[in-house]
PDB file of all heavy atoms in Angstrom:
ATOM      1  N   VAL A 805     -54.024  14.170  33.854  1.00  0.00           N
ATOM      2  CA  VAL A 805     -55.089  13.358  34.476  1.00  0.00           C
ATOM      3  C   VAL A 805     -56.493  13.980  34.330  1.00  0.00           C
ATOM      4  O   VAL A 805     -57.435  13.296  33.929  1.00  0.00           O
ATOM      5  CB  VAL A 805     -54.721  13.051  35.949  1.00  0.00           C
ATOM      6  CG1 VAL A 805     -55.920  12.576  36.745  1.00  0.00           C
ATOM      7  CG2 VAL A 805     -53.609  11.986  35.975  1.00  0.00           C
ATOM      8  N   PRO A 806     -56.665  15.290  34.595  1.00  0.00           N
ATOM      9  CA  PRO A 806     -58.032  15.842  34.482  1.00  0.00           C
ATOM     10  C   PRO A 806     -58.623  15.674  33.086  1.00  0.00           C
ATOM     11  O   PRO A 806     -59.802  15.333  32.942  1.00  0.00           O
ATOM     12  CB  PRO A 806     -57.837  17.325  34.818  1.00  0.00           C
ATOM     13  CG  PRO A 806     -56.601  17.368  35.661  1.00  0.00           C
ATOM     14  CD  PRO A 806     -55.718  16.292  35.127  1.00  0.00           C
ATOM     15  N   VAL A 807     -57.817  15.860  32.052  1.00  0.00           N
ATOM     16  CA  VAL A 807     -58.369  15.758  30.705  1.00  0.00           C
ATOM     17  C   VAL A 807     -58.752  14.299  30.416  1.00  0.00           C
ATOM     18  O   VAL A 807     -59.767  14.032  29.753  1.00  0.00           O
ATOM     19  CB  VAL A 807     -57.394  16.374  29.662  1.00  0.00           C
ATOM     20  CG1 VAL A 807     -56.332  15.437  29.200  1.00  0.00           C
ATOM     21  CG2 VAL A 807     -58.160  16.878  28.452  1.00  0.00           C
ATOM     22  N   LEU A 808     -58.010  13.343  30.937  1.00  0.00           N
ATOM     23  CA  LEU A 808     -58.362  11.931  30.723  1.00  0.00           C
ATOM     24  C   LEU A 808     -59.704  11.619  31.393  1.00  0.00           C
ATOM     25  O   LEU A 808     -60.568  10.968  30.815  1.00  0.00           O
ATOM     26  CB  LEU A 808     -57.261  11.008  31.269  1.00  0.00           C
ATOM     27  CG  LEU A 808     -55.916  11.071  30.533  1.00  0.00           C
ATOM     28  CD1 LEU A 808     -54.877  10.180  31.205  1.00  0.00           C
ATOM     29  CD2 LEU A 808     -56.082  10.667  29.065  1.00  0.00           C
ATOM     30  N   VAL A 809     -59.856  12.131  32.623  1.00  0.00           N
ATOM     31  CA  VAL A 809     -61.130  11.915  33.322  1.00  0.00           C
ATOM     32  C   VAL A 809     -62.258  12.571  32.522  1.00  0.00           C
ATOM     33  O   VAL A 809     -63.332  12.001  32.324  1.00  0.00           O
ATOM     34  CB  VAL A 809     -61.045  12.470  34.767  1.00  0.00           C
ATOM     35  CG1 VAL A 809     -62.405  12.490  35.437  1.00  0.00           C
ATOM     36  CG2 VAL A 809     -60.052  11.629  35.580  1.00  0.00           C
ATOM     37  N   GLY A 810     -62.001  13.757  31.997  1.00  0.00           N
ATOM     38  CA  GLY A 810     -63.006  14.461  31.215  1.00  0.00           C
ATOM     39  C   GLY A 810     -63.385  13.726  29.938  1.00  0.00           C
ATOM     40  O   GLY A 810     -64.514  13.821  29.455  1.00  0.00           O
ATOM     41  N   LEU A 811     -62.456  12.975  29.390  1.00  0.00           N
ATOM     42  CA  LEU A 811     -62.746  12.227  28.157  1.00  0.00           C
ATOM     43  C   LEU A 811     -63.545  10.953  28.445  1.00  0.00           C
ATOM     44  O   LEU A 811     -64.065  10.328  27.531  1.00  0.00           O
ATOM     45  CB  LEU A 811     -61.435  11.843  27.448  1.00  0.00           C
ATOM     46  CG  LEU A 811     -60.673  12.995  26.789  1.00  0.00           C
ATOM     47  CD1 LEU A 811     -59.290  12.540  26.336  1.00  0.00           C
ATOM     48  CD2 LEU A 811     -61.443  13.565  25.601  1.00  0.00           C
ATOM     49  N   GLY A 812     -63.596  10.537  29.720  1.00  0.00           N
ATOM     50  CA  GLY A 812     -64.401   9.358  30.062  1.00  0.00           C
ATOM     51  C   GLY A 812     -63.594   8.167  30.547  1.00  0.00           C
ATOM     52  O   GLY A 812     -64.139   7.069  30.707  1.00  0.00           O
ATOM     53  N   VAL A 813     -62.319   8.381  30.817  1.00  0.00           N
ATOM     54  CA  VAL A 813     -61.476   7.296  31.333  1.00  0.00           C
ATOM     55  C   VAL A 813     -61.812   7.078  32.808  1.00  0.00           C
ATOM     56  O   VAL A 813     -61.907   8.043  33.566  1.00  0.00           O
ATOM     57  CB  VAL A 813     -59.980   7.682  31.165  1.00  0.00           C
ATOM     58  CG1 VAL A 813     -59.073   6.723  31.909  1.00  0.00           C
ATOM     59  CG2 VAL A 813     -59.622   7.736  29.682  1.00  0.00           C
ATOM     60  N   THR A 814     -61.980   5.814  33.214  1.00  0.00           N
ATOM     61  CA  THR A 814     -62.344   5.580  34.626  1.00  0.00           C
ATOM     62  C   THR A 814     -61.318   4.721  35.369  1.00  0.00           C
ATOM     63  O   THR A 814     -61.539   4.358  36.520  1.00  0.00           O
ATOM     64  CB  THR A 814     -63.721   4.893  34.735  1.00  0.00           C
ATOM     65  OG1 THR A 814     -63.677   3.675  33.995  1.00  0.00           O
ATOM     66  CG2 THR A 814     -64.833   5.779  34.223  1.00  0.00           C
ATOM     67  N   GLU A 815     -60.262   4.360  34.700  1.00  0.00           N
ATOM     68  CA  GLU A 815     -59.183   3.640  35.395  1.00  0.00           C
ATOM     69  C   GLU A 815     -57.867   4.220  34.923  1.00  0.00           C
ATOM     70  O   GLU A 815     -57.658   4.395  33.722  1.00  0.00           O
ATOM     71  CB  GLU A 815     -59.261   2.143  35.077  1.00  0.00           C
ATOM     72  CG  GLU A 815     -58.182   1.309  35.756  1.00  0.00           C
ATOM     73  CD  GLU A 815     -57.183   0.708  34.777  1.00  0.00           C
ATOM     74  OE1 GLU A 815     -56.892   1.332  33.730  1.00  0.00           O
ATOM     75  OE2 GLU A 815     -56.674  -0.374  35.031  1.00  0.00           O
ATOM     76  N   LEU A 816     -56.988   4.534  35.891  1.00  0.00           N
ATOM     77  CA  LEU A 816     -55.682   5.095  35.544  1.00  0.00           C
ATOM     78  C   LEU A 816     -54.629   4.188  36.148  1.00  0.00           C
ATOM     79  O   LEU A 816     -54.625   3.973  37.362  1.00  0.00           O
ATOM     80  CB  LEU A 816     -55.534   6.497  36.138  1.00  0.00           C
ATOM     81  CG  LEU A 816     -56.528   7.544  35.612  1.00  0.00           C
ATOM     82  CD1 LEU A 816     -56.602   8.736  36.563  1.00  0.00           C
ATOM     83  CD2 LEU A 816     -56.106   8.008  34.218  1.00  0.00           C
ATOM     84  N   SER A 817     -53.763   3.631  35.332  1.00  0.00           N
ATOM     85  CA  SER A 817     -52.711   2.789  35.884  1.00  0.00           C
ATOM     86  C   SER A 817     -51.386   3.524  35.737  1.00  0.00           C
ATOM     87  O   SER A 817     -50.859   3.677  34.632  1.00  0.00           O
ATOM     88  CB  SER A 817     -52.686   1.429  35.178  1.00  0.00           C
ATOM     89  OG  SER A 817     -51.963   0.515  35.970  1.00  0.00           O
ATOM     90  N   ALA A 818     -50.890   4.017  36.875  1.00  0.00           N
ATOM     91  CA  ALA A 818     -49.714   4.891  36.873  1.00  0.00           C
ATOM     92  C   ALA A 818     -48.494   4.142  37.411  1.00  0.00           C
ATOM     93  O   ALA A 818     -48.616   3.002  37.860  1.00  0.00           O
ATOM     94  CB  ALA A 818     -50.008   6.098  37.747  1.00  0.00           C
ATOM     95  N   THR A 819     -47.337   4.785  37.404  1.00  0.00           N
ATOM     96  CA  THR A 819     -46.175   4.161  38.038  1.00  0.00           C
ATOM     97  C   THR A 819     -46.430   4.142  39.543  1.00  0.00           C
ATOM     98  O   THR A 819     -47.116   5.033  40.073  1.00  0.00           O
ATOM     99  CB  THR A 819     -44.891   4.961  37.762  1.00  0.00           C
ATOM    100  OG1 THR A 819     -45.110   6.290  38.230  1.00  0.00           O
ATOM    101  CG2 THR A 819     -44.557   5.009  36.294  1.00  0.00           C
ATOM    102  N   ALA A 820     -45.853   3.153  40.222  1.00  0.00           N
ATOM    103  CA  ALA A 820     -46.127   3.005  41.655  1.00  0.00           C
ATOM    104  C   ALA A 820     -45.832   4.301  42.404  1.00  0.00           C
ATOM    105  O   ALA A 820     -46.603   4.726  43.268  1.00  0.00           O
ATOM    106  CB  ALA A 820     -45.287   1.864  42.218  1.00  0.00           C
ATOM    107  N   ALA A 821     -44.730   4.979  42.036  1.00  0.00           N
ATOM    108  CA  ALA A 821     -44.329   6.174  42.778  1.00  0.00           C
ATOM    109  C   ALA A 821     -45.342   7.305  42.650  1.00  0.00           C
ATOM    110  O   ALA A 821     -45.462   8.140  43.562  1.00  0.00           O
ATOM    111  CB  ALA A 821     -42.969   6.649  42.285  1.00  0.00           C
ATOM    112  N   THR A 822     -46.057   7.379  41.540  1.00  0.00           N
ATOM    113  CA  THR A 822     -46.978   8.514  41.366  1.00  0.00           C
ATOM    114  C   THR A 822     -48.399   8.207  41.837  1.00  0.00           C
ATOM    115  O   THR A 822     -49.238   9.110  41.868  1.00  0.00           O
ATOM    116  CB  THR A 822     -47.037   8.978  39.896  1.00  0.00           C
ATOM    117  OG1 THR A 822     -47.113   7.848  39.059  1.00  0.00           O
ATOM    118  CG2 THR A 822     -45.897   9.856  39.495  1.00  0.00           C
ATOM    119  N   VAL A 823     -48.668   6.959  42.204  1.00  0.00           N
ATOM    120  CA  VAL A 823     -50.039   6.589  42.600  1.00  0.00           C
ATOM    121  C   VAL A 823     -50.617   7.530  43.665  1.00  0.00           C
ATOM    122  O   VAL A 823     -51.727   8.057  43.494  1.00  0.00           O
ATOM    123  CB  VAL A 823     -50.107   5.106  43.039  1.00  0.00           C
ATOM    124  CG1 VAL A 823     -51.372   4.815  43.827  1.00  0.00           C
ATOM    125  CG2 VAL A 823     -50.036   4.201  41.821  1.00  0.00           C
ATOM    126  N   PRO A 824     -49.891   7.834  44.781  1.00  0.00           N
ATOM    127  CA  PRO A 824     -50.507   8.686  45.806  1.00  0.00           C
ATOM    128  C   PRO A 824     -50.923  10.050  45.246  1.00  0.00           C
ATOM    129  O   PRO A 824     -52.000  10.552  45.559  1.00  0.00           O
ATOM    130  CB  PRO A 824     -49.394   8.842  46.860  1.00  0.00           C
ATOM    131  CG  PRO A 824     -48.517   7.645  46.660  1.00  0.00           C
ATOM    132  CD  PRO A 824     -48.562   7.341  45.192  1.00  0.00           C
ATOM    133  N   GLU A 825     -50.059  10.644  44.395  1.00  0.00           N
ATOM    134  CA  GLU A 825     -50.402  11.976  43.880  1.00  0.00           C
ATOM    135  C   GLU A 825     -51.549  11.920  42.876  1.00  0.00           C
ATOM    136  O   GLU A 825     -52.366  12.836  42.808  1.00  0.00           O
ATOM    137  CB  GLU A 825     -49.173  12.621  43.254  1.00  0.00           C
ATOM    138  CG  GLU A 825     -48.199  13.098  44.308  1.00  0.00           C
ATOM    139  CD  GLU A 825     -46.920  13.605  43.701  1.00  0.00           C
ATOM    140  OE1 GLU A 825     -46.013  12.766  43.482  1.00  0.00           O
ATOM    141  OE2 GLU A 825     -46.830  14.797  43.432  1.00  0.00           O
ATOM    142  N   VAL A 826     -51.622  10.844  42.089  1.00  0.00           N
ATOM    143  CA  VAL A 826     -52.743  10.724  41.151  1.00  0.00           C
ATOM    144  C   VAL A 826     -54.042  10.608  41.947  1.00  0.00           C
ATOM    145  O   VAL A 826     -55.046  11.258  41.634  1.00  0.00           O
ATOM    146  CB  VAL A 826     -52.551   9.516  40.195  1.00  0.00           C
ATOM    147  CG1 VAL A 826     -53.788   9.317  39.328  1.00  0.00           C
ATOM    148  CG2 VAL A 826     -51.322   9.695  39.319  1.00  0.00           C
ATOM    149  N   LYS A 827     -53.988   9.818  43.016  1.00  0.00           N
ATOM    150  CA  LYS A 827     -55.207   9.658  43.830  1.00  0.00           C
ATOM    151  C   LYS A 827     -55.617  10.994  44.448  1.00  0.00           C
ATOM    152  O   LYS A 827     -56.802  11.350  44.454  1.00  0.00           O
ATOM    153  CB  LYS A 827     -54.978   8.605  44.928  1.00  0.00           C
ATOM    154  CG  LYS A 827     -54.925   7.183  44.380  1.00  0.00           C
ATOM    155  CD  LYS A 827     -54.736   6.155  45.484  1.00  0.00           C
ATOM    156  CE  LYS A 827     -56.054   5.593  45.978  1.00  0.00           C
ATOM    157  NZ  LYS A 827     -55.860   4.458  46.900  1.00  0.00           N
ATOM    158  N   ALA A 828     -54.642  11.729  44.971  1.00  0.00           N
ATOM    159  CA  ALA A 828     -54.960  13.018  45.594  1.00  0.00           C
ATOM    160  C   ALA A 828     -55.568  13.966  44.562  1.00  0.00           C
ATOM    161  O   ALA A 828     -56.521  14.700  44.858  1.00  0.00           O
ATOM    162  CB  ALA A 828     -53.694  13.622  46.186  1.00  0.00           C
TER     163      ALA A 828
END
Side-chain angles (χ1 to χ4, degrees):
V805 164
V807 84
L808 293 177
V809 170
L811 289 170
V813 169
T814 57
E815 180 247 32
L816 297 162
S817 197
T819 57
T822 44
V823 163
E825 286 174 273
V826 174
K827 287 182 94 171

